[in-house]
Amino acid sequence: MKRLLLVLLIALMMVSISNAADKIVFGAALSLTGKLAKEGNLVKDGYELWKEVVNKKGGINVGGKKYLVDIKYYDDESDPNRGAKLVEKLITEDKIKLILGPYGSESVFATSAITEKYGAIMVQGGAAADKLYTRGFKNLFGIYTVATEYMDDILNMLKDKNPKPTTVAIVYSNDLFSTQVAQGAKTSAQKYGYNVVLFQDYPKGTQDLSTVIAQIKGKNPDIIIGCGHFQDTIVIVKQCKDYKVNPKALAFSVGPTLPDFVDSLKGDSEYVFGSAQWTKSLKYKDPVFGSNTEFVKMYKAKYKEDPNYHSAGGAAAAVIFQRAIEKAGTFTDIAKIREALSNFNEETLFGKIKFDNTGKVVGKGMAVIQILNGTQVTVYPESVAEGKMVYPKPAWK
């Protein structure tokens, strides 16, 4: 009997070891609580849907053998410094070197320094600051169009509209991402021949922008560009209405693409433009989900709502990581995975993805959405437009 029990115990241990060996474990430190919890959890939703779909198909194919996927999560509580410590824990204690990125430029900036230090590798679909790619890192790859290009498509889209807009006011939160968006918007506005009549920052996290709105009103611009985050956008829209500021176009880097934008503002969200890294109407193929359209269907079936670009970015980053591992033929040799990412050139649900020698995505561009009848409608590029934009913006009711 004792011998039989010993044999069974050894067999169970062997099964356990075999199961562990047949699994690829990724790590992620995300903002699951705190001020960026909304966006952080949306990124996680994208990761989880990818994991579910891959595992249903038998896993990631590495050298002819399938490996199931698992993801080890930690909550960084929306604190970049905590995120860095948690990524260090993932690498040094959990022995995970395949890191899926967090949400937010400041968090990616902090955590990617850790992956670089320890020879781990990160693919991120949640941050856009140009500064991420100026440090000479070899092990960071990002799929967001960078911050300085964020508002270019909106300004290009509007430049020849009738009546022709000629003046632009740019206001921005003084955080890393928003500052770079604003600087890029200013460069784009000047490139397209606009006169930038106001370029004004405001304190990060402020809930009263009346002073800034008064400055905008004094300049009476044709276009207002807001570069900040979700709560900033809500405040600007509300206070523009309060102060009866009526531009021909009101556009934001972040906010209109989130489901809560319309819920928070109701009718006041109408006709607002938003830059989007991704929209559900894009007609891309994808090696895991089949197509962008299929990704949207799967996401809605799982989460009972349409995805936005945060979730799509998470899913796409994971897809790209998977494809690089498959092309490299290994999930342990970081140098080979890095080489596969450096040479990546494939269509995914997030678009045609290719990286430059800094790890930055190139040539992807941005979509533009407008809130019409309480719905996010893709209005640019025209080739994928779901509806016709409204311009100029009607005055507040």
Side-chain angles (χ1 to χ4, degrees):
M1 181 63 73
K2 287 182 179 179
R3 190 173 182 179
L4 179 60
L5 287 172
L6 182 61
V7 170
L8 288 171
L9 181 60
I10 291 170
L12 286 169
M13 288 174 65
M14 293 299 292
V15 169
S16 177
I17 292 168
S18 175
N19 286 343
D22 292 345
K23 188 174 287 187
I24 301 175
V25 183
F26 295 79
L30 286 167
S31 301
L32 305 179
T33 60
K35 64 182 180 180
L36 298 176
K38 183 181 297 296
E39 295 93 335
N41 278 283
L42 288 171
V43 173
K44 182 184 178 184
D45 288 346
Y47 292 159
E48 285 294 294
L49 179 59
W50 164 77
K51 182 180 78 173
E52 180 181 292
V53 171
V54 170
N55 286 343
K56 280 182 178 177
K57 292 183 176 182
I60 296 177
N61 188 335
V62 184
K65 181 177 179 179
K66 290 285 189 78
Y67 294 83
L68 295 178
V69 169
D70 200 5
I71 305 173
K72 176 82 171 181
Y73 293 105
Y74 288 117
D75 179 11
D76 68 19
E77 300 174 7
S78 301
D79 179 350
N81 293 326
R82 176 174 167 77
K85 291 175 183 176
L86 291 171
V87 168
E88 187 170 34
K89 178 180 172 70
L90 283 165
I91 298 168
T92 61
E93 295 183 24
D94 299 318
K95 308 301 181 185
I96 298 170
K97 286 197 168 184
L98 308 175
I99 306 298
L100 290 162
Y103 171 77
S105 292
E106 293 178 0
S107 290
V108 172
F109 191 86
T111 55
S112 58
I114 304 301
T115 53
E116 196 75 15
K117 175 183 176 181
Y118 287 101
I121 195 160
M122 177 187 289
V123 181
Q124 64 88 10
D130 296 62
K131 191 176 179 181
L132 296 169
Y133 308 103
T134 60
R135 296 170 292 172
F137 285 5
K138 301 298 183 184
N139 289 5
L140 171 66
F141 294 85
I143 67 171
Y144 271 18
T145 299
V146 291
T148 51
E149 299 173 17
Y150 234 77
M151 306 306 291
D152 189 86
D153 287 287
I154 284 179
L155 289 163
N156 185 28
M157 175 187 77
L158 293 171
K159 71 180 189 302
D160 296 321
K161 294 299 175 186
N162 185 26
K164 184 177 177 64
T166 59
T167 56
V168 179
I170 301 169
V171 295
Y172 60 99
S173 169
N174 59 9
D175 63 83
L176 173 62
F177 164 74
S178 303
T179 299
Q180 292 195 324
V181 173
Q183 290 167 343
K186 184 178 182 181
T187 299
S188 292
Q190 292 168 338
K191 175 178 71 176
Y192 294 127
Y194 297 100
N195 179 22
V196 179
V197 294
L198 182 68
F199 188 74
Q200 181 63 52
D201 70 340
Y202 55 82
K204 181 171 65 174
T206 186
Q207 292 299 302
D208 182 10
L209 289 165
S210 55
T211 302
V212 174
I213 302 301
Q215 288 179 276
I216 295 173
K217 187 175 178 69
K219 299 295 184 180
N220 191 31
D222 294 323
I223 300 172
I224 297 173
I225 299 288
C227 309
H229 295 280
F230 176 74
Q231 291 300 333
D232 310 357
T233 303
I234 299 299
V235 173
I236 291 171
V237 173
K238 286 181 176 178
Q239 293 192 324
C240 277
K241 182 180 181 181
D242 291 343
Y243 279 72
K244 295 182 172 58
V245 177
N246 285 299
K248 293 181 175 69
L250 183 57
F252 295 94
S253 57
V254 175
T257 56
L258 289 170
D260 287 355
F261 183 76
V262 173
D263 294 339
S264 297
L265 290 168
K266 307 302 180 187
D268 293 340
S269 65
E270 283 294 296
Y271 315 117
V272 173
F273 291 107
S275 286
Q277 292 282 354
W278 169 95
T279 73
K280 63 181 183 179
S281 68
L282 296 172
K283 307 299 183 186
Y284 295 121
K285 295 178 182 178
D286 185 86
V288 173
F289 297 99
S291 68
N292 188 46
T293 302
E294 287 302 310
F295 164 75
V296 173
K297 288 179 183 176
M298 292 179 195
Y299 187 96
K300 194 164 186 177
K302 183 175 177 64
Y303 297 111
K304 311 308 178 190
E305 64 180 14
D306 284 330
N308 73 356
Y309 74 86
H310 298 91
S311 300
V319 167
I320 291 159
F321 221 152
Q322 172 187 347
R323 292 293 294 142
I325 289 168
E326 290 175 338
K327 288 171 185 289
T330 175
F331 59 91
T332 57
D333 190 328
I334 298 301
K336 288 185 178 179
I337 297 169
R338 180 201 308 122
E339 184 180 0
L341 285 164
S342 297
N343 295 321
F344 199 90
N345 188 6
E346 193 169 329
E347 188 167 292
T348 73
L349 67 104
F350 220 62
K352 187 71 174 288
I353 300 297
K354 188 176 182 179
F355 302 104
D356 68 10
N357 61 7
T358 71
K360 176 178 68 178
V361 73
V362 290
K364 186 178 77 65
M366 299 283 284
V368 181
I369 64 103
Q370 187 177 32
I371 306 301
L372 298 172
N373 297 316
T375 302
Q376 299 169 12
V377 178
T378 303
V379 294
Y380 186 86
E382 292 179 359
S383 59
V384 297
E386 299 171 291
K388 188 175 181 181
M389 76 176 69
V390 174
Y391 175 91
K393 179 187 178 301
W396 302 105
K397 293 181 181 178

